[in-house]
Amino acid sequence: MDLIVIAIVVVVAIGLVAACILSYASKVFYVPVDERVSKLRAELPGANCGGCGFAGCDDYANALVEDPELSINKCPVGGAAVAAKLGEILGKSAEAGEKQLAVVMCNGTRDAVKPLLAYNDIKTCKAAKNLFGGMNACPFGCLGLGDCEAACDFDAIHICDGVAVVNKDACVACGACAKACPNSLIRISPAKNLVVVKCHNTEKGGVARKECSNACIGCMKCQKVCKFDAITVENNLAYIDPEKCKNCGMCAKECPTGAIHDERKKKAAPKKSPEEIEALKKAAAAKKAAAAAKKEDAPADSTDAKADDAKEKAADTTAKAADVKADDTKADSAKEKTPVKEVKVETTVEKAEEKAPETVKEVVDESADIGDENV
């Protein structure tokens, strides 16, 4: 029994000594921490996506306190709301940050891209890239095995028809998908730019077109049609300057391969109020009633019209008959005149024949006279 009491006393004594030592050490080695860091950390979303350019939310909170010049708009997940709260803690005014989005610069769907080989190995884009540059003929296109999809913590990017597609409503532009893509196809750009080049192939036009029917061929038609000098073609690939682009969409219409996409939403027709709908229904009913009334009046009108047409046809027939009679009369008169001419011709010939012997006799007499004179 004494041994148990002794053991308990020893353990308690050791605990008290250790507590005193730790308490003294905490005071000696105390590092002052700005209370704003904890407040900032509490306002940050805690996604630790790295979209702000730091290792995580804790690192970003510390950096905000240490560097007064650091922008409070770097959190893509929290957006303007979080930036406003951070500004209140730090005594800064939140600048109007421009919304950013991830853009996939490829449209090589299964129907467009030419397959190179059947890939049955590890289902990751990095693994496929190490095998002859991928399983498609285009070495610059999307491999479609979902590395970007796995890297996104916001379910904002998915593989559709062999190509990564970004959900604009869910994307926070953290850049995780861009880091995961082995072909560097994904870039973070301003959300206001709705006309984008969805191609990353820098090979010559003929080669690129053989590899993918949707590839940019560097024809420079888009550059010529742009009125704002926002498009340049370098290394056989079109590039749109987001600062100069006005989203007119002329380049997308001119592109012969469809490599430039116009993602502007068409304006929906305004919804009509119930009063307008009732007015349209009444107008339609009135039109139907008017059409029915016209049909009832149609038989009498049609009979009169038919009678008028018959009269006109009869008049035309009478006129034509008169013209025919006149032509027959002229023909008969011509026939009657023709025999007279023939008779005249015959009498002239007969007269010539009658005169011919006398002429011959005169010629003979003259020749005889000439002969006598010679003798």
Side-chain angles (χ1 to χ4, degrees):
M1 190 67 181
D2 294 337
L3 293 175
I4 295 175
V5 174
I6 293 171
I8 293 172
V9 171
V10 171
V11 172
V12 171
I14 293 172
L16 290 172
V17 173
C20 292
I21 294 172
L22 292 174
S23 178
Y24 177 76
S26 64
K27 292 180 179 180
V28 173
F29 299 103
Y30 173 74
V31 177
V33 178
D34 196 329
E35 61 179 3
R36 295 179 297 173
V37 174
S38 59
K39 292 181 179 179
L40 293 172
R41 179 63 186 84
E43 297 297 339
L44 290 171
N48 295 319
C49 61
C52 58
F54 295 90
C57 294
D58 291 332
D59 193 15
Y60 182 43
N62 290 322
L64 284 173
V65 174
E66 293 175 0
D67 186 4
E69 301 297 329
L70 186 62
S71 174
I72 59 177
N73 295 317
K74 285 186 172 295
C75 180
V77 181
V82 171
K85 293 178 181 179
L86 298 179
E88 291 177 2
I89 296 171
L90 296 174
K92 294 182 179 180
S93 59
E95 300 175 359
E98 188 177 24
K99 183 175 174 57
Q100 304 282 320
L101 285 177
V103 179
V104 181
M105 296 182 292
C106 180
N107 191 34
T109 58
R110 291 190 179 96
D111 295 335
V113 70
K114 182 179 178 182
L116 185 63
L117 52 88
Y119 181 76
N120 296 317
D121 211 328
I122 303 173
K123 299 299 181 180
T124 63
C125 297
K126 290 183 179 179
K129 181 68 176 177
N130 292 330
L131 182 64
F132 303 109
M135 60 281 194
N136 297 326
C138 179
F140 304 91
C142 180
L143 297 170
L145 295 178
D147 285 16
C148 54
E149 184 176 355
C152 182
D153 294 329
F154 305 96
D155 195 32
I157 188 167
H158 298 280
I159 304 299
C160 300
D161 196 16
V163 182
V165 178
V166 177
N167 182 358
K168 295 182 178 181
D169 296 329
C171 180
V172 297
C174 65
C177 55
K179 295 177 182 177
C181 181
N183 276 342
S184 301
L185 284 176
I186 305 174
R187 71 180 181 188
I188 307 300
S189 64
K192 66 178 183 178
N193 297 113
L194 301 176
V195 181
V196 295
V197 180
K198 289 204 169 184
C199 183
H200 198 54
N201 195 327
T202 57
E203 294 180 330
K204 292 184 178 180
V207 178
R209 191 64 184 273
K210 289 180 181 178
E211 295 173 347
C212 178
S213 59
N214 294 337
C216 177
I217 57 177
C219 62
M220 301 183 73
K221 289 185 177 181
C222 54
Q223 182 175 340
K224 294 177 181 178
V225 77
C226 183
K227 299 179 180 179
F228 309 100
D229 295 330
I231 302 180
T232 55
V233 178
E234 297 178 0
N235 295 327
N236 305 311
L237 183 64
Y239 169 74
I240 299 178
D241 188 347
E243 299 298 329
K244 296 181 179 180
C245 181
K246 305 300 181 182
N247 293 324
C248 65
M250 292 300 296
C251 54
K253 294 180 181 179
E254 192 70 17
C255 181
T257 63
I260 303 177
H261 281 227
D262 186 356
E263 299 181 354
R264 294 177 298 174
K265 292 182 180 180
K266 294 182 179 180
K267 293 183 179 179
K271 294 183 179 180
K272 296 180 180 178
S273 62
E275 293 78 7
E276 292 177 345
I277 294 173
E278 290 296 329
L280 291 174
K281 288 182 179 179
K282 290 180 181 179
K287 286 183 179 180
K288 287 183 180 179
K294 285 183 180 180
K295 286 183 179 179
E296 292 177 358
D297 298 337
D301 296 340
S302 61
T303 303
D304 296 338
K306 288 180 180 178
D308 294 337
D309 293 339
K311 289 180 181 179
E312 291 178 359
K313 289 181 180 179
D316 293 340
T317 304
T318 304
K320 289 181 180 179
D323 294 338
V324 171
K325 287 181 180 180
D327 293 339
D328 293 340
T329 305
K330 290 180 180 180
D332 294 338
S333 61
K335 287 180 181 179
E336 290 176 357
K337 290 179 180 179
T338 303
V340 175
K341 291 181 179 179
E342 292 177 352
V343 171
K344 287 182 180 180
V345 172
E346 290 176 358
T347 54
T348 306
V349 172
E350 289 175 356
K351 287 181 180 181
E353 290 178 351
E354 291 176 357
K355 289 181 179 181
E358 295 178 358
T359 306
V360 173
K361 187 176 180 181
E362 291 176 359
V363 171
V364 172
D365 293 341
E366 288 179 357
S367 61
D369 295 338
I370 293 169
D372 294 338
E373 290 177 359
N374 293 330
V375 173

PDB file of all heavy atoms in Angstrom, residues 215-248:
ATOM      1  N   ALA A 215      -8.693  22.336 -86.247  1.00  0.00           N
ATOM      2  CA  ALA A 215      -7.457  23.022 -85.867  1.00  0.00           C
ATOM      3  C   ALA A 215      -7.321  24.362 -86.581  1.00  0.00           C
ATOM      4  O   ALA A 215      -7.873  24.580 -87.666  1.00  0.00           O
ATOM      5  CB  ALA A 215      -6.259  22.146 -86.193  1.00  0.00           C
ATOM      6  N   CYS A 216      -6.567  25.261 -85.961  1.00  0.00           N
ATOM      7  CA  CYS A 216      -6.235  26.542 -86.578  1.00  0.00           C
ATOM      8  C   CYS A 216      -5.155  26.297 -87.638  1.00  0.00           C
ATOM      9  O   CYS A 216      -4.146  25.642 -87.364  1.00  0.00           O
ATOM     10  CB  CYS A 216      -5.738  27.522 -85.528  1.00  0.00           C
ATOM     11  SG  CYS A 216      -5.199  29.122 -86.193  1.00  0.00           S
ATOM     12  N   ILE A 217      -5.356  26.831 -88.836  1.00  0.00           N
ATOM     13  CA  ILE A 217      -4.420  26.601 -89.937  1.00  0.00           C
ATOM     14  C   ILE A 217      -3.574  27.836 -90.235  1.00  0.00           C
ATOM     15  O   ILE A 217      -2.833  27.854 -91.215  1.00  0.00           O
ATOM     16  CB  ILE A 217      -5.161  26.151 -91.206  1.00  0.00           C
ATOM     17  CG1 ILE A 217      -6.222  27.180 -91.602  1.00  0.00           C
ATOM     18  CG2 ILE A 217      -5.817  24.795 -90.978  1.00  0.00           C
ATOM     19  CD1 ILE A 217      -6.955  26.850 -92.900  1.00  0.00           C
ATOM     20  N   GLY A 218      -3.705  28.869 -89.436  1.00  0.00           N
ATOM     21  CA  GLY A 218      -2.885  30.068 -89.627  1.00  0.00           C
ATOM     22  C   GLY A 218      -3.145  30.793 -90.923  1.00  0.00           C
ATOM     23  O   GLY A 218      -2.223  31.380 -91.508  1.00  0.00           O
ATOM     24  N   CYS A 219      -4.404  30.800 -91.391  1.00  0.00           N
ATOM     25  CA  CYS A 219      -4.726  31.429 -92.677  1.00  0.00           C
ATOM     26  C   CYS A 219      -4.751  32.956 -92.596  1.00  0.00           C
ATOM     27  O   CYS A 219      -4.788  33.623 -93.626  1.00  0.00           O
ATOM     28  CB  CYS A 219      -6.071  30.921 -93.174  1.00  0.00           C
ATOM     29  SG  CYS A 219      -7.461  31.305 -92.083  1.00  0.00           S
ATOM     30  N   MET A 220      -4.806  33.499 -91.392  1.00  0.00           N
ATOM     31  CA  MET A 220      -4.782  34.945 -91.136  1.00  0.00           C
ATOM     32  C   MET A 220      -6.053  35.665 -91.581  1.00  0.00           C
ATOM     33  O   MET A 220      -6.088  36.899 -91.629  1.00  0.00           O
ATOM     34  CB  MET A 220      -3.557  35.594 -91.795  1.00  0.00           C
ATOM     35  CG  MET A 220      -2.236  35.025 -91.327  1.00  0.00           C
ATOM     36  SD  MET A 220      -0.794  35.851 -92.028  1.00  0.00           S
ATOM     37  CE  MET A 220      -0.858  37.404 -91.123  1.00  0.00           C
ATOM     38  N   LYS A 221      -7.102  34.935 -91.906  1.00  0.00           N
ATOM     39  CA  LYS A 221      -8.361  35.592 -92.257  1.00  0.00           C
ATOM     40  C   LYS A 221      -8.938  36.342 -91.064  1.00  0.00           C
ATOM     41  O   LYS A 221      -9.505  37.419 -91.216  1.00  0.00           O
ATOM     42  CB  LYS A 221      -9.364  34.558 -92.773  1.00  0.00           C
ATOM     43  CG  LYS A 221      -9.040  34.005 -94.141  1.00  0.00           C
ATOM     44  CD  LYS A 221     -10.141  33.078 -94.620  1.00  0.00           C
ATOM     45  CE  LYS A 221      -9.845  32.566 -96.035  1.00  0.00           C
ATOM     46  NZ  LYS A 221     -10.927  31.666 -96.520  1.00  0.00           N
ATOM     47  N   CYS A 222      -8.799  35.762 -89.885  1.00  0.00           N
ATOM     48  CA  CYS A 222      -9.311  36.414 -88.680  1.00  0.00           C
ATOM     49  C   CYS A 222      -8.558  37.714 -88.403  1.00  0.00           C
ATOM     50  O   CYS A 222      -9.148  38.713 -87.991  1.00  0.00           O
ATOM     51  CB  CYS A 222      -9.199  35.465 -87.485  1.00  0.00           C
ATOM     52  SG  CYS A 222      -7.533  34.808 -87.223  1.00  0.00           S
ATOM     53  N   GLN A 223      -7.263  37.705 -88.642  1.00  0.00           N
ATOM     54  CA  GLN A 223      -6.455  38.898 -88.405  1.00  0.00           C
ATOM     55  C   GLN A 223      -6.836  40.014 -89.375  1.00  0.00           C
ATOM     56  O   GLN A 223      -6.863  41.195 -89.004  1.00  0.00           O
ATOM     57  CB  GLN A 223      -4.979  38.555 -88.557  1.00  0.00           C
ATOM     58  CG  GLN A 223      -4.033  39.720 -88.293  1.00  0.00           C
ATOM     59  CD  GLN A 223      -2.574  39.313 -88.347  1.00  0.00           C
ATOM     60  OE1 GLN A 223      -2.251  38.136 -88.220  1.00  0.00           O
ATOM     61  NE2 GLN A 223      -1.691  40.258 -88.544  1.00  0.00           N
ATOM     62  N   LYS A 224      -7.156  39.661 -90.612  1.00  0.00           N
ATOM     63  CA  LYS A 224      -7.515  40.672 -91.602  1.00  0.00           C
ATOM     64  C   LYS A 224      -8.890  41.276 -91.337  1.00  0.00           C
ATOM     65  O   LYS A 224      -9.115  42.457 -91.583  1.00  0.00           O
ATOM     66  CB  LYS A 224      -7.477  40.039 -92.996  1.00  0.00           C
ATOM     67  CG  LYS A 224      -6.081  39.622 -93.438  1.00  0.00           C
ATOM     68  CD  LYS A 224      -6.122  38.928 -94.788  1.00  0.00           C
ATOM     69  CE  LYS A 224      -4.733  38.480 -95.218  1.00  0.00           C
ATOM     70  NZ  LYS A 224      -4.771  37.756 -96.518  1.00  0.00           N
ATOM     71  N   VAL A 225      -9.814  40.464 -90.827  1.00  0.00           N
ATOM     72  CA  VAL A 225     -11.175  40.949 -90.645  1.00  0.00           C
ATOM     73  C   VAL A 225     -11.344  41.727 -89.338  1.00  0.00           C
ATOM     74  O   VAL A 225     -12.302  42.489 -89.203  1.00  0.00           O
ATOM     75  CB  VAL A 225     -12.169  39.768 -90.683  1.00  0.00           C
ATOM     76  CG1 VAL A 225     -12.167  38.989 -89.375  1.00  0.00           C
ATOM     77  CG2 VAL A 225     -13.574  40.245 -90.998  1.00  0.00           C
ATOM     78  N   CYS A 226     -10.420  41.578 -88.389  1.00  0.00           N
ATOM     79  CA  CYS A 226     -10.542  42.253 -87.093  1.00  0.00           C
ATOM     80  C   CYS A 226     -10.275  43.755 -87.252  1.00  0.00           C
ATOM     81  O   CYS A 226      -9.223  44.157 -87.762  1.00  0.00           O
ATOM     82  CB  CYS A 226      -9.575  41.651 -86.074  1.00  0.00           C
ATOM     83  SG  CYS A 226      -9.726  42.376 -84.428  1.00  0.00           S
ATOM     84  N   LYS A 227     -11.204  44.574 -86.800  1.00  0.00           N
ATOM     85  CA  LYS A 227     -11.087  46.025 -86.911  1.00  0.00           C
ATOM     86  C   LYS A 227     -10.391  46.656 -85.716  1.00  0.00           C
ATOM     87  O   LYS A 227     -10.163  47.873 -85.712  1.00  0.00           O
ATOM     88  CB  LYS A 227     -12.476  46.640 -87.073  1.00  0.00           C
ATOM     89  CG  LYS A 227     -13.212  46.176 -88.319  1.00  0.00           C
ATOM     90  CD  LYS A 227     -14.584  46.808 -88.395  1.00  0.00           C
ATOM     91  CE  LYS A 227     -15.328  46.342 -89.643  1.00  0.00           C
ATOM     92  NZ  LYS A 227     -16.685  46.939 -89.734  1.00  0.00           N
ATOM     93  N   PHE A 228     -10.052  45.856 -84.711  1.00  0.00           N
ATOM     94  CA  PHE A 228      -9.469  46.405 -83.484  1.00  0.00           C
ATOM     95  C   PHE A 228      -8.035  45.933 -83.252  1.00  0.00           C
ATOM     96  O   PHE A 228      -7.480  46.153 -82.190  1.00  0.00           O
ATOM     97  CB  PHE A 228     -10.341  46.018 -82.289  1.00  0.00           C
ATOM     98  CG  PHE A 228     -11.787  46.345 -82.468  1.00  0.00           C
ATOM     99  CD1 PHE A 228     -12.692  45.367 -82.838  1.00  0.00           C
ATOM    100  CD2 PHE A 228     -12.244  47.642 -82.297  1.00  0.00           C
ATOM    101  CE1 PHE A 228     -14.041  45.669 -83.013  1.00  0.00           C
ATOM    102  CE2 PHE A 228     -13.589  47.948 -82.473  1.00  0.00           C
ATOM    103  CZ  PHE A 228     -14.483  46.955 -82.833  1.00  0.00           C
ATOM    104  N   ASP A 229      -7.450  45.285 -84.238  1.00  0.00           N
ATOM    105  CA  ASP A 229      -6.075  44.777 -84.136  1.00  0.00           C
ATOM    106  C   ASP A 229      -5.896  43.899 -82.894  1.00  0.00           C
ATOM    107  O   ASP A 229      -4.867  43.929 -82.224  1.00  0.00           O
ATOM    108  CB  ASP A 229      -5.063  45.936 -84.090  1.00  0.00           C
ATOM    109  CG  ASP A 229      -5.063  46.727 -85.384  1.00  0.00           C
ATOM    110  OD1 ASP A 229      -5.348  46.126 -86.433  1.00  0.00           O
ATOM    111  OD2 ASP A 229      -4.785  47.940 -85.341  1.00  0.00           O
ATOM    112  N   ALA A 230      -6.919  43.109 -82.595  1.00  0.00           N
ATOM    113  CA  ALA A 230      -6.890  42.265 -81.399  1.00  0.00           C
ATOM    114  C   ALA A 230      -6.363  40.863 -81.690  1.00  0.00           C
ATOM    115  O   ALA A 230      -6.099  40.111 -80.752  1.00  0.00           O
ATOM    116  CB  ALA A 230      -8.280  42.166 -80.787  1.00  0.00           C
ATOM    117  N   ILE A 231      -6.187  40.517 -82.963  1.00  0.00           N
ATOM    118  CA  ILE A 231      -5.769  39.160 -83.321  1.00  0.00           C
ATOM    119  C   ILE A 231      -4.438  39.215 -84.051  1.00  0.00           C
ATOM    120  O   ILE A 231      -4.244  40.017 -84.967  1.00  0.00           O
ATOM    121  CB  ILE A 231      -6.815  38.463 -84.212  1.00  0.00           C
ATOM    122  CG1 ILE A 231      -8.169  38.414 -83.507  1.00  0.00           C
ATOM    123  CG2 ILE A 231      -6.375  37.055 -84.569  1.00  0.00           C
ATOM    124  CD1 ILE A 231      -9.249  37.752 -84.300  1.00  0.00           C
ATOM    125  N   THR A 232      -3.544  38.371 -83.631  1.00  0.00           N
ATOM    126  CA  THR A 232      -2.266  38.195 -84.320  1.00  0.00           C
ATOM    127  C   THR A 232      -2.039  36.704 -84.534  1.00  0.00           C
ATOM    128  O   THR A 232      -2.435  35.881 -83.706  1.00  0.00           O
ATOM    129  CB  THR A 232      -1.111  38.778 -83.495  1.00  0.00           C
ATOM    130  OG1 THR A 232      -1.121  38.192 -82.180  1.00  0.00           O
ATOM    131  CG2 THR A 232      -1.225  40.289 -83.390  1.00  0.00           C
ATOM    132  N   VAL A 233      -1.412  36.375 -85.640  1.00  0.00           N
ATOM    133  CA  VAL A 233      -1.095  34.979 -85.958  1.00  0.00           C
ATOM    134  C   VAL A 233       0.404  34.799 -85.841  1.00  0.00           C
ATOM    135  O   VAL A 233       1.173  35.387 -86.610  1.00  0.00           O
ATOM    136  CB  VAL A 233      -1.585  34.603 -87.373  1.00  0.00           C
ATOM    137  CG1 VAL A 233      -1.196  33.172 -87.699  1.00  0.00           C
ATOM    138  CG2 VAL A 233      -3.090  34.781 -87.477  1.00  0.00           C
ATOM    139  N   GLU A 234       0.804  34.018 -84.864  1.00  0.00           N
ATOM    140  CA  GLU A 234       2.213  33.735 -84.618  1.00  0.00           C
ATOM    141  C   GLU A 234       2.403  32.230 -84.492  1.00  0.00           C
ATOM    142  O   GLU A 234       1.607  31.555 -83.843  1.00  0.00           O
ATOM    143  CB  GLU A 234       2.686  34.433 -83.334  1.00  0.00           C
ATOM    144  CG  GLU A 234       2.604  35.951 -83.391  1.00  0.00           C
ATOM    145  CD  GLU A 234       3.028  36.596 -82.088  1.00  0.00           C
ATOM    146  OE1 GLU A 234       3.373  35.835 -81.154  1.00  0.00           O
ATOM    147  OE2 GLU A 234       3.023  37.838 -81.997  1.00  0.00           O
ATOM    148  N   ASN A 235       3.461  31.736 -85.126  1.00  0.00           N
ATOM    149  CA  ASN A 235       3.749  30.298 -85.111  1.00  0.00           C
ATOM    150  C   ASN A 235       2.544  29.482 -85.592  1.00  0.00           C
ATOM    151  O   ASN A 235       2.174  28.457 -85.001  1.00  0.00           O
ATOM    152  CB  ASN A 235       4.148  29.840 -83.706  1.00  0.00           C
ATOM    153  CG  ASN A 235       5.443  30.467 -83.247  1.00  0.00           C
ATOM    154  OD1 ASN A 235       6.340  30.732 -84.050  1.00  0.00           O
ATOM    155  ND2 ASN A 235       5.552  30.738 -81.951  1.00  0.00           N
ATOM    156  N   ASN A 236       1.905  29.979 -86.669  1.00  0.00           N
ATOM    157  CA  ASN A 236       0.785  29.291 -87.312  1.00  0.00           C
ATOM    158  C   ASN A 236      -0.437  29.173 -86.410  1.00  0.00           C
ATOM    159  O   ASN A 236      -1.303  28.315 -86.636  1.00  0.00           O
ATOM    160  CB  ASN A 236       1.205  27.887 -87.778  1.00  0.00           C
ATOM    161  CG  ASN A 236       2.416  27.905 -88.668  1.00  0.00           C
ATOM    162  OD1 ASN A 236       2.472  28.678 -89.629  1.00  0.00           O
ATOM    163  ND2 ASN A 236       3.405  27.084 -88.357  1.00  0.00           N
ATOM    164  N   LEU A 237      -0.539  30.018 -85.382  1.00  0.00           N
ATOM    165  CA  LEU A 237      -1.649  29.945 -84.444  1.00  0.00           C
ATOM    166  C   LEU A 237      -2.160  31.345 -84.135  1.00  0.00           C
ATOM    167  O   LEU A 237      -1.372  32.262 -83.891  1.00  0.00           O
ATOM    168  CB  LEU A 237      -1.215  29.252 -83.155  1.00  0.00           C
ATOM    169  CG  LEU A 237      -2.288  29.028 -82.088  1.00  0.00           C
ATOM    170  CD1 LEU A 237      -3.366  28.072 -82.607  1.00  0.00           C
ATOM    171  CD2 LEU A 237      -1.664  28.456 -80.819  1.00  0.00           C
ATOM    172  N   ALA A 238      -3.484  31.507 -84.147  1.00  0.00           N
ATOM    173  CA  ALA A 238      -4.102  32.801 -83.856  1.00  0.00           C
ATOM    174  C   ALA A 238      -4.133  33.049 -82.348  1.00  0.00           C
ATOM    175  O   ALA A 238      -4.365  32.122 -81.564  1.00  0.00           O
ATOM    176  CB  ALA A 238      -5.518  32.844 -84.420  1.00  0.00           C
ATOM    177  N   TYR A 239      -3.895  34.291 -81.970  1.00  0.00           N
ATOM    178  CA  TYR A 239      -3.943  34.693 -80.572  1.00  0.00           C
ATOM    179  C   TYR A 239      -4.787  35.951 -80.454  1.00  0.00           C
ATOM    180  O   TYR A 239      -4.629  36.897 -81.225  1.00  0.00           O
ATOM    181  CB  TYR A 239      -2.545  34.962 -80.026  1.00  0.00           C
ATOM    182  CG  TYR A 239      -2.543  35.623 -78.666  1.00  0.00           C
ATOM    183  CD1 TYR A 239      -2.864  34.904 -77.520  1.00  0.00           C
ATOM    184  CD2 TYR A 239      -2.263  36.982 -78.540  1.00  0.00           C
ATOM    185  CE1 TYR A 239      -2.888  35.525 -76.279  1.00  0.00           C
ATOM    186  CE2 TYR A 239      -2.276  37.613 -77.308  1.00  0.00           C
ATOM    187  CZ  TYR A 239      -2.588  36.874 -76.170  1.00  0.00           C
ATOM    188  OH  TYR A 239      -2.617  37.482 -74.945  1.00  0.00           O
ATOM    189  N   ILE A 240      -5.725  35.975 -79.490  1.00  0.00           N
ATOM    190  CA  ILE A 240      -6.605  37.119 -79.273  1.00  0.00           C
ATOM    191  C   ILE A 240      -6.158  37.858 -78.021  1.00  0.00           C
ATOM    192  O   ILE A 240      -6.071  37.271 -76.940  1.00  0.00           O
ATOM    193  CB  ILE A 240      -8.064  36.665 -79.123  1.00  0.00           C
ATOM    194  CG1 ILE A 240      -8.531  35.957 -80.396  1.00  0.00           C
ATOM    195  CG2 ILE A 240      -8.974  37.857 -78.828  1.00  0.00           C
ATOM    196  CD1 ILE A 240      -9.948  35.427 -80.317  1.00  0.00           C
ATOM    197  N   ASP A 241      -5.871  39.141 -78.172  1.00  0.00           N
ATOM    198  CA  ASP A 241      -5.480  39.981 -77.043  1.00  0.00           C
ATOM    199  C   ASP A 241      -6.726  40.321 -76.231  1.00  0.00           C
ATOM    200  O   ASP A 241      -7.631  40.993 -76.734  1.00  0.00           O
ATOM    201  CB  ASP A 241      -4.813  41.258 -77.557  1.00  0.00           C
ATOM    202  CG  ASP A 241      -4.210  42.086 -76.431  1.00  0.00           C
ATOM    203  OD1 ASP A 241      -4.515  41.811 -75.256  1.00  0.00           O
ATOM    204  OD2 ASP A 241      -3.432  43.013 -76.728  1.00  0.00           O
ATOM    205  N   PRO A 242      -6.809  39.872 -74.973  1.00  0.00           N
ATOM    206  CA  PRO A 242      -8.023  40.124 -74.181  1.00  0.00           C
ATOM    207  C   PRO A 242      -8.264  41.602 -73.896  1.00  0.00           C
ATOM    208  O   PRO A 242      -9.408  41.997 -73.632  1.00  0.00           O
ATOM    209  CB  PRO A 242      -7.774  39.348 -72.881  1.00  0.00           C
ATOM    210  CG  PRO A 242      -6.295  39.190 -72.805  1.00  0.00           C
ATOM    211  CD  PRO A 242      -5.813  39.108 -74.205  1.00  0.00           C
ATOM    212  N   GLU A 243      -7.230  42.414 -73.946  1.00  0.00           N
ATOM    213  CA  GLU A 243      -7.399  43.840 -73.671  1.00  0.00           C
ATOM    214  C   GLU A 243      -7.986  44.586 -74.867  1.00  0.00           C
ATOM    215  O   GLU A 243      -8.677  45.582 -74.711  1.00  0.00           O
ATOM    216  CB  GLU A 243      -6.048  44.461 -73.283  1.00  0.00           C
ATOM    217  CG  GLU A 243      -5.434  43.866 -72.032  1.00  0.00           C
ATOM    218  CD  GLU A 243      -6.301  44.064 -70.800  1.00  0.00           C
ATOM    219  OE1 GLU A 243      -7.019  45.094 -70.746  1.00  0.00           O
ATOM    220  OE2 GLU A 243      -6.267  43.208 -69.906  1.00  0.00           O
ATOM    221  N   LYS A 244      -7.713  44.106 -76.077  1.00  0.00           N
ATOM    222  CA  LYS A 244      -8.184  44.779 -77.282  1.00  0.00           C
ATOM    223  C   LYS A 244      -9.476  44.192 -77.832  1.00  0.00           C
ATOM    224  O   LYS A 244     -10.191  44.865 -78.582  1.00  0.00           O
ATOM    225  CB  LYS A 244      -7.105  44.721 -78.380  1.00  0.00           C
ATOM    226  CG  LYS A 244      -5.827  45.469 -78.034  1.00  0.00           C
ATOM    227  CD  LYS A 244      -4.845  45.367 -79.181  1.00  0.00           C
ATOM    228  CE  LYS A 244      -3.546  46.118 -78.886  1.00  0.00           C
ATOM    229  NZ  LYS A 244      -2.585  46.003 -80.013  1.00  0.00           N
ATOM    230  N   CYS A 245      -9.763  42.965 -77.499  1.00  0.00           N
ATOM    231  CA  CYS A 245     -10.936  42.295 -78.067  1.00  0.00           C
ATOM    232  C   CYS A 245     -12.222  42.958 -77.584  1.00  0.00           C
ATOM    233  O   CYS A 245     -12.389  43.240 -76.393  1.00  0.00           O
ATOM    234  CB  CYS A 245     -10.930  40.817 -77.688  1.00  0.00           C
ATOM    235  SG  CYS A 245     -12.329  39.891 -78.367  1.00  0.00           S
ATOM    236  N   LYS A 246     -13.142  43.183 -78.520  1.00  0.00           N
ATOM    237  CA  LYS A 246     -14.435  43.814 -78.220  1.00  0.00           C
ATOM    238  C   LYS A 246     -15.594  42.825 -78.332  1.00  0.00           C
ATOM    239  O   LYS A 246     -16.758  43.213 -78.274  1.00  0.00           O
ATOM    240  CB  LYS A 246     -14.687  44.985 -79.185  1.00  0.00           C
ATOM    241  CG  LYS A 246     -13.587  46.032 -79.199  1.00  0.00           C
ATOM    242  CD  LYS A 246     -13.393  46.676 -77.835  1.00  0.00           C
ATOM    243  CE  LYS A 246     -12.305  47.735 -77.891  1.00  0.00           C
ATOM    244  NZ  LYS A 246     -12.056  48.338 -76.557  1.00  0.00           N
ATOM    245  N   ASN A 247     -15.289  41.539 -78.513  1.00  0.00           N
ATOM    246  CA  ASN A 247     -16.321  40.494 -78.580  1.00  0.00           C
ATOM    247  C   ASN A 247     -17.313  40.734 -79.714  1.00  0.00           C
ATOM    248  O   ASN A 247     -18.517  40.482 -79.565  1.00  0.00           O
ATOM    249  CB  ASN A 247     -17.070  40.388 -77.249  1.00  0.00           C
ATOM    250  CG  ASN A 247     -16.187  39.887 -76.126  1.00  0.00           C
ATOM    251  OD1 ASN A 247     -15.321  39.046 -76.323  1.00  0.00           O
ATOM    252  ND2 ASN A 247     -16.393  40.417 -74.929  1.00  0.00           N
ATOM    253  N   CYS A 248     -16.818  41.226 -80.851  1.00  0.00           N
ATOM    254  CA  CYS A 248     -17.711  41.464 -81.984  1.00  0.00           C
ATOM    255  C   CYS A 248     -18.069  40.161 -82.706  1.00  0.00           C
ATOM    256  O   CYS A 248     -19.110  40.070 -83.355  1.00  0.00           O
ATOM    257  CB  CYS A 248     -17.091  42.445 -82.965  1.00  0.00           C
ATOM    258  SG  CYS A 248     -15.593  41.831 -83.780  1.00  0.00           S
TER     259      CYS A 248
END
